[in-house]
Amino acid sequence: MPRRPSLRQLEYLLAISEHRHFGEAAKKVAASQPTLSLQLQALEDALGARLVERNRNNIGLTPSGETVVERAREILLQVDELVAAVHRERENLGGLIRLGTGPTVGPYILPKIVPQLHAEYPTVRIYIREELPARLAKLVADGSLDLALVALPAHDDQLHAEEIGQEQLLIGLAHDHPLARFKRIPPEYLAGEKFLTLGRGHRLYEEVDRLAARHGAEILQDYEGTSLDALRQMVALGMGLSVFPSYYAASEIASDRSVVLRQLRGEILVRKLGFIWRPFAVRTADFTQLATIAYHALKTVKPESGD
């Protein structure tokens, strides 16, 4: 089977076709004339056909040479287009980003980030997949997702984590609950209170579980919510207290008079937010740039504080 010619050899042949002079062709491709002659000979040997007619007064192409030149132009044009496409993708955060996010994070954080991201990279494409945090870590680790926006720390400490900001966790309670009279709830008053939360597998469940254990409160296992909105409705009905992330609260609770938000006296509940991706990922520079954009975008947004 004939050997494949190199792209460089095809460039040499095109230069000869254009200039019909070995010296001028060599200048065009920034090579010495002997190198160009040797590579042309290697190309002819690889294809098993004579491509150039040489004589003292003229250099011409054989019929096979004309055919190769015509196809070589097409091939090199396609290669140039390939290089240009990759360059465009590199300037566009590497092209399509497969982003995972948790249900208590993405819907309320991404709208703060996307406008600035779109302004800097107007043609960037992001495929968003919502999953439980523990599932997200597995999908990033096995390459099904490029990265994920989650509450930190991640469920897989082998993944690289890039923090982009923090948000407060606020205690939500019905407007007529006895503890609603406090601007900041004394922690000891939580003893015996019942907390509603999302099911296991949500990072928020872990946060509420630690809070309840710290202050002698109880988690109602029979009333786990399926979403933050479901929790808010149950809190409004007086079924118990819950904990809401401040970006969600700013978006969905600020105008809801049936639920009030409070901080604890002498204790600020916060969670860190960030992106996770595989260590040494090829697109680490792109993901780091995305994290930088997100960091600056969140700095300009004031979430609900519960004051």
Side-chain angles (χ1 to χ4, degrees):
M1 179 178 178
R3 299 191 307 274
R4 289 178 178 174
S6 70
L7 295 178
R8 191 65 170 155
Q9 289 170 342
L10 296 180
E11 288 178 339
Y12 288 167
L13 180 62
L14 286 181
I16 292 171
S17 171
E18 179 181 348
H19 293 282
R20 305 292 171 130
H21 187 280
F22 277 90
E24 294 300 320
K27 290 180 183 178
K28 172 70 181 294
V29 295
S32 67
Q33 188 168 330
T35 296
L36 184 140
S37 297
L38 287 172
Q39 288 300 313
L40 175 61
Q41 184 63 57
L43 175 61
E44 291 179 325
D45 292 343
L47 295 177
R50 189 174 181 182
L51 305 177
V52 175
E53 293 179 338
R54 307 166 179 82
N55 57 54
R56 291 184 178 179
N57 301 318
N58 187 41
I59 293 178
L61 297 176
T62 67
S64 292
E66 295 284 2
T67 298
V68 174
V69 164
E70 182 179 350
R71 298 299 300 272
R73 282 199 183 95
E74 296 175 3
I75 291 169
L76 292 173
L77 178 60
Q78 290 177 357
V79 171
D80 288 341
E81 290 174 346
L82 181 150
V83 172
V86 172
H87 182 72
R88 286 194 300 272
E89 296 290 13
R90 189 170 64 247
E91 293 183 340
N92 195 36
L93 293 183
L96 175 67
I97 295 175
R98 298 170 303 162
L99 173 68
T101 188
T104 70
V105 178
Y108 314 105
I109 302 299
L110 285 176
K112 319 300 181 187
I113 298 171
V114 166
Q116 187 167 333
L117 177 64
H118 182 67
E120 296 193 32
Y121 298 94
T123 59
V124 71
R125 295 176 299 144
I126 301 181
Y127 165 76
I128 300 172
R129 177 171 174 175
E130 192 172 287
E131 293 276 358
L132 292 177
R135 174 74 174 150
L136 285 172
K138 293 178 181 177
L139 292 172
V140 172
D142 69 19
S144 299
L145 292 173
D146 295 316
L147 72 168
L149 173 60
V150 298
L152 300 176
H155 281 89
D156 185 340
D157 59 8
Q158 299 302 309
L159 295 173
H160 174 79
E162 194 80 15
E163 184 178 340
I164 61 171
Q166 298 183 352
E167 67 174 335
Q168 287 192 36
L169 297 175
L170 304 170
I171 296 177
L173 55 161
H175 73 283
D176 56 355
H177 191 285
L179 295 182
R181 71 183 189 275
F182 294 103
K183 187 175 180 64
R184 285 178 170 77
I185 300 173
E188 62 271 19
Y189 280 48
L190 293 182
E193 290 291 339
K194 295 176 173 55
F195 273 86
L196 303 158
T197 188
L198 298 176
R200 296 178 187 273
H202 289 274
R203 177 68 71 182
L204 198 59
Y205 176 91
E206 300 168 15
E207 300 284 356
V208 177
D209 187 48
R210 285 194 290 268
L211 175 67
R214 219 165 38 240
H215 299 296
E218 176 189 353
I219 293 181
L220 293 178
Q221 303 290 349
D222 294 338
Y223 293 93
E224 292 177 348
T226 56
S227 69
L228 292 176
D229 284 340
L231 287 179
R232 176 165 58 93
Q233 297 302 327
M234 288 189 285
V235 167
L237 290 171
M239 296 173 62
L241 284 62
S242 193
V243 172
F244 296 101
S246 56
Y247 282 105
Y248 167 81
S251 172
E252 306 297 334
I253 301 182
S255 60
D256 186 349
R257 295 185 179 180
S258 63
V259 176
V260 297
L261 299 166
R262 296 291 185 261
Q263 298 178 11
L264 284 181
R265 181 180 299 170
E267 183 178 347
I268 298 177
L269 307 175
V270 297
R271 69 173 179 176
K272 297 178 180 179
L273 304 169
F275 290 101
I276 55 172
W277 61 79
R278 292 178 298 285
F280 313 113
V282 173
R283 298 172 65 187
T284 290
D286 298 325
F287 302 156
T288 301
Q289 177 62 15
L290 175 59
T292 300
I293 292 171
Y295 169 78
H296 290 293
L298 290 185
K299 281 182 65 176
T300 65
V301 178
K302 179 176 174 56
E304 177 62 48
S305 65
D307 291 336

